[in-house]
Amino acid sequence: AGVSLNNQLLQGPENTSSLLGVILRFKVNSIVVAADVKRIFHQVFVLPEDHSALCYLWFPDGDLTKNPKTFQMLVHIFGVTSSPSVCGYALRKTGRDNTGDSPRETIDTAFRDFYVDDLLKSFETTGEAVQITKQLQELRTRGGFKLTKFTSNARGVLGGFRPEDRTPTVKNLDFKFDSLPVDHAYGIHWNVEDDTFNLVVSDK
């Protein structure tokens, strides 16, 4: 009693790039792209022999007076100590497994410009940005991952992706007139139109 099963799990190595390194490289070139791996944890299955490590209680009809039932998670979930390490490994393995079938720049991006499930990458030209991110999207698909919620400070890049693959704030953007929105990059406010980071403070 009083012991959290989650606290007994090994955290494992980070299996992701340095956050500081990703953000610094994000500002190297003028054309930038951000994207997100959709529901990354739920795309990675838990080994059958480890199901018992991810047990949870479920009260029927939400009634806490009833005896709870015990269930097991079959996929990794957010908040579990081991999930970031395991899912980071799976994401990187997609890159390793396809090293011979993908351009070098795309593989380098897969290893250097993701922090957990978020992509931040800068490019010299719009054409390069569209080409490499589409290749990266295909690479992730081979591993069972979907790279989506694309946003960029370049309208030409956004126009290279289907509306449903863009982040909701630019899904229905009129590229001729609308200003690009303020988005978030690892908790930092990113003014996409000006390509600047903003700090939001409160006096409360």
Side-chain angles (χ1 to χ4, degrees), residues 35-54:
D36 173 76
V37 178
K38 183 178 181 180
R39 302 177 67 192
I40 181 174
F41 290 170
H42 286 192
Q43 309 314 310
V44 181
F45 287 92
V46 178
L47 293 173
E49 57 265 35
D50 292 332
H51 287 173
S52 59
L54 294 178

Side-chain angles (χ1 to χ4, degrees), residues 145-160:
F145 300 103
K146 179 177 175 60
L147 190 60
T148 187
K149 292 186 179 179
F150 285 93
T151 189
S152 173
N153 64 335
R155 287 167 171 77
V157 174
L158 292 172

